Amino acid sequence: MALMDLYSRRRRRNTIVLALSFGATAAGLGWLTLILGSLVWESFRGFSLDVFTHMTPPPGAAGGGLLNPIVGSLIMTTLGVAVGTPIGILAGTYMAEYGRYAHVTKVVRFINDILLSAPSIVIGLFIYEMVVYPMGHFSGFAGGLALAVLVIPVVVRTTEDMLMLVPKELREASAALGTPRAKIIWNVSYRAARAGIVTGILLAVARISGETAPLLFTALNNQFFSLDLNQPMASLPAVIFQFALSPYQDWQRLAWVGAMIITFAVLALSITARALAGSRKPS
Amino acid sequence: MADMALSDANIAESAWMSRAKALSRLRITDKAFFQITRAAAYFVLLLLGAIIVSLIIGGWPALKEFGFSFLVSQSWNPVTEKFGALAPIYGTVVTSLIAMLIAVPLGLLITLFLTELCPMWLRRPISIAIELLAGIPSIIYGIWGLFVFAPFLQRTLQPFLIDLFGNVPVLSTLFAGPPYGIGVLTSGLILAIMVLPFITSISRDVFEAVPPMLKEAAYGLGFTTWEVVRYVVLPYARVGVIGGVMLALGRALGETMAVTFVIGNAHKVSSSLLAPGTTISATIANEFTEAVGDLYTSSLIALGLLLFCITFIVLAIARYMLMRIERRIG
């Protein structure tokens, strides 16, 4: 009798936990649909082609768009990737090719992993101290550099992982032909790991294109259209931050539209990256 | 004839010369490339060093002025230039704690579903969907939290909690005050959603690394699914799960934009979870560009240094744990 009790108690506990795990998964998926759903719903009302062709409006004025922040975001993201990617790829190359067994590689990997999840607002403070303060003013250039600091750890990590996956027989075969090390890396390793490295760059772009915190006190914001890297520059996330917290309805509506543009750009990028990486798991 | 032999020798000579030239060129590029890549690797180390040094230099005036009381003082007064970090520290810790209390069980339950219950063909889509939560930029969580989630909590969950715990001794102070919608609890809940995918994806990796033989043996003994997870999978995967949780904690501590939108930015330590508060990152994001005076700016940078130190320690522990489990899985 006691045995039957124990048995049914175990079964009951099992059922409860399994039901909870169903519920947890449903809650997780529910949250995702809720967030994406309200994003689409809220931005639908404010969406028009003007968003891509007009400047940010002054407070209280109807209409207007997000042209200057979109262009600003594109410029600073490009700058960030252009500066961060080469450094990241080269560092990853050292870790996987030359210094695979070196002590410094372990240290760099550890530090890089920490930089990977370091709070981005601290990176903003860092660039403020290094670039903005000495220069005496906020600039798009500083914003791009802050983003570059965020790009580097992502690219280092994926480059190293992907180069590690290149079979060593490929390298040995080319070394047996007398190919110098640098040529092996350029013509064999990079070529074999190309899809993976591109994935890493895409993931980095996805990461930085939604970043707000490091831009707040590096690039600041700009109400006007500006291509000058030496001047404060508008960016989508900063404009969303400013507009969403404002009391003006038109601004809030534009903030939602901007939020939708960013989200779908980022999701498209990360899905492309996943597809590129195929069955390999991105880190 | 002799001429031809001579020219042959010449050709051989010049071929040899060009060969030597090519070889030395290759040797130089080889060396150069090696040096460049090594410099890039060291640059990553340098970057971390530079971040720490620049934060220390920037925050030094404030640290010198206030000393240890910077950590324990609650006052944050730009007019009298008295700054203390207690309220932001408290807010950071409490919001992250709430996030972990919710996200860890939820994340593990989702992992249990994904690894033990879910049919094979559904596993990939569901785990990708959960991981998409990590891909959504934090500012989106912020705007969603401010306009959708906070009003919803204000109407439903918060009045409910106030009524429910109104007469319970300790809990009534935790859930006291009017339902603002925004506040510490709301920030914690949003953080929970944001870090959920980190916990799920890492614990899924370590759950799947448990040797099937162990699980099958336990099932063979008549274990229920829950018992297999509780007594076989979790003990085996413990280190990895803790690593994942620490990684998520590191994220939660440093998260800026989502929290800035919904925390309310009140520089006070309040016993109620429903009251507005502030966190380190939210304080910096809100006040840095408006800070006048060197001491104000410096105090904010000192806050940044503090945040960086806390997250550094948490993340270092996380990486150490994950390295241990990686070595074991091999």
Side-chain angles (χ1 to χ4, degrees):
Chain A
M1 207 50 206
L3 204 65
M4 286 311 287
D5 266 4
L6 180 68
Y7 182 63
S8 64
R9 203 165 59 230
R10 285 175 54 207
R11 283 242 316 235
R12 208 161 44 233
R13 187 171 296 167
N14 189 45
T15 319
I16 291 171
V17 173
L18 297 191
L20 280 177
S21 87
F22 263 111
T25 312
L29 296 178
W31 259 323
L32 181 70
T33 26
L34 224 89
I35 292 172
L36 294 182
S38 49
L39 204 57
V40 171
W41 173 251
E42 292 283 344
S43 58
F44 190 68
R45 294 180 303 174
F47 193 80
S48 70
L49 279 179
D50 283 358
V51 168
F52 298 105
T53 53
H54 285 61
M55 304 296 153
T56 45
L66 294 167
L67 178 64
N68 44 335
I70 289 175
V71 171
S73 272
L74 286 178
I75 290 174
M76 284 190 285
T77 307
T78 313
L79 181 64
V81 172
V83 175
T85 309
I87 298 175
I89 290 184
L90 287 172
T93 307
Y94 176 79
M95 292 160 72
E97 297 280 346
Y98 289 111
R100 191 178 281 206
Y101 304 104
H103 272 300
V104 67
T105 298
K106 277 186 204 144
V107 179
V108 172
R109 192 180 299 140
F110 190 77
I111 296 300
N112 188 64
D113 278 348
I114 285 179
L115 282 179
L116 194 62
S117 356
S120 54
I121 191 149
V122 172
I123 308 295
L125 286 177
F126 167 61
I127 295 294
Y128 177 86
E129 281 284 297
M130 297 291 279
V131 183
V132 178
Y133 191 69
M135 276 172 72
H137 57 87
F138 299 104
S139 63
F141 178 67
L145 282 188
L147 295 181
V149 175
L150 291 168
V151 167
I152 291 172
V154 182
V155 176
V156 169
R157 178 73 190 267
T158 41
T159 306
E160 195 207 351
D161 285 353
M162 291 307 153
L163 286 178
M164 287 290 209
L165 289 179
V166 175
K168 69 172 188 300
E169 285 79 6
L170 282 181
R171 294 194 191 97
E172 284 166 359
S174 21
L177 291 174
T179 323
R181 198 85 183 258
K183 255 198 147 37
I184 298 179
I185 294 171
W186 275 96
N187 294 353
V188 178
S189 299
Y190 279 169
R191 207 166 278 188
R194 189 162 49 195
I197 295 175
V198 171
T199 305
I201 298 172
L202 286 180
L203 285 177
V205 175
R207 162 107 199 261
I208 61 170
S209 50
E211 278 293 350
T212 320
L215 294 178
L216 287 177
F217 25 83
T218 51
L220 200 67
N221 202 341
N222 194 339
Q223 247 184 300
F224 307 104
F225 188 81
S226 161
L227 294 175
D228 188 356
L229 277 176
N230 210 17
Q231 293 298 318
M233 192 175 265
S235 65
L236 263 182
V239 167
I240 295 173
F241 182 52
Q242 184 198 353
F243 280 18
L245 289 176
S246 77
Y248 312 110
Q249 287 243 313
D250 298 305
W251 274 18
Q252 291 179 1
R253 208 167 291 151
L254 273 177
W256 274 109
V257 177
M260 191 196 64
I261 295 174
I262 287 191
T263 311
F264 283 94
V266 169
L267 291 187
L269 274 169
S270 46
I271 289 171
T272 317
R274 260 164 220 282
L276 253 181
S279 55
R280 265 186 244 143
K281 253 191 350 221
S283 58
Chain B
M1 216 48 186
D3 278 2
M4 262 174 90
L6 204 65
S7 75
D8 262 6
N10 265 344
I11 289 166
E13 178 98 335
S14 70
W16 187 81
M17 282 290 281
S18 69
R19 221 177 126 80
K21 226 181 264 166
L23 270 178
S24 78
R25 203 176 55 232
L26 283 175
R27 204 167 292 134
I28 291 168
T29 52
D30 219 29
K31 275 227 176 74
F33 190 62
F34 169 69
Q35 296 295 349
I36 292 171
T37 59
R38 200 172 59 168
Y42 278 101
F43 182 77
V44 174
L45 296 185
L46 193 74
L47 203 58
L48 184 89
I51 291 174
I52 295 174
V53 169
S54 74
L55 289 179
I56 291 178
I57 291 174
W60 186 246
L63 292 175
K64 204 173 65 184
E65 173 80 20
F66 304 117
F68 183 70
S69 75
F70 185 70
L71 291 182
V72 291
S73 160
Q74 217 194 113
S75 72
W76 188 266
N77 193 336
V79 181
T80 59
E81 299 216 303
K82 288 268 176 290
F83 299 103
L86 187 64
I89 294 175
Y90 172 81
T92 302
V93 171
V94 171
T95 49
S96 303
L97 264 183
I98 297 174
M100 288 296 128
L101 276 178
I102 295 163
V104 172
L106 213 54
L108 288 178
L109 283 170
I110 293 178
T111 313
L112 193 161
F113 178 80
L114 283 174
T115 52
E116 301 292 328
L117 299 177
C118 186
M120 270 300 174
W121 58 275
L122 256 179
R123 277 185 195 183
R124 219 173 126 69
I126 291 185
S127 46
I128 286 179
I130 298 284
E131 273 165 36
L132 279 187
L133 277 174
I136 298 176
S138 63
I139 190 158
I140 309 302
Y141 284 99
I143 189 171
W144 179 77
L146 180 68
F147 288 120
V148 182
F149 196 50
F152 172 77
L153 288 181
Q154 189 177 21
R155 282 196 310 272
T156 55
L157 182 71
Q158 295 190 344
F160 171 75
L161 286 173
I162 293 170
D163 284 346
L164 187 66
F165 297 118
N167 299 316
V168 187
V170 182
L171 292 175
S172 67
T173 49
L174 270 185
F175 298 105
Y180 290 108
I182 56 176
V184 175
L185 181 68
T186 312
S187 312
L189 289 174
I190 296 228
L191 283 179
I193 308 174
M194 296 184 68
V195 299
L196 189 63
F198 292 96
I199 297 177
T200 325
S201 79
I202 289 182
S203 44
R204 192 170 50 103
D205 284 354
V206 287
F207 273 30
E208 277 171 358
V210 176
M213 214 117 64
L214 287 183
K215 287 199 289 189
E216 281 157 18
Y219 278 120
L221 287 174
F223 276 39
T224 61
T225 308
W226 161 239
E227 284 162 347
V228 169
V229 173
R230 172 70 188 77
Y231 296 106
V232 178
V233 176
L234 268 182
Y236 190 92
R238 196 184 58 223
V239 181
V241 170
I242 296 173
V245 169
M246 297 300 267
L247 198 65
L249 179 62
R251 285 283 168 148
L253 289 168
E255 178 46 50
T256 310
M257 295 323 289
V259 174
T260 307
F261 272 92
V262 294
I263 188 102
N265 303 303
H267 272 283
K268 58 174 199 267
V269 176
S270 143
S271 61
S272 170
L273 294 181
L274 303 183
T278 190
T279 66
I280 296 177
S281 46
T283 305
I284 302 172
N286 262 312
E287 301 180 16
F288 196 80
T289 43
E290 285 153 20
V292 278
D294 286 344
L295 202 57
Y296 195 177
T297 311
S298 171
S299 300
L300 288 169
I301 295 178
L303 272 184
L305 177 65
L306 206 63
L307 177 67
F308 193 66
C309 292
I310 300 173
T311 49
F312 188 96
I313 294 167
V314 170
L315 292 172
I317 297 173
R319 287 301 163 190
Y320 175 70
M321 296 272 184
L322 291 174
M323 250 145 75
R324 262 178 60 187
I325 190 97
E326 263 166 36
R327 210 170 301 152
R328 189 158 79 199
I329 294 170

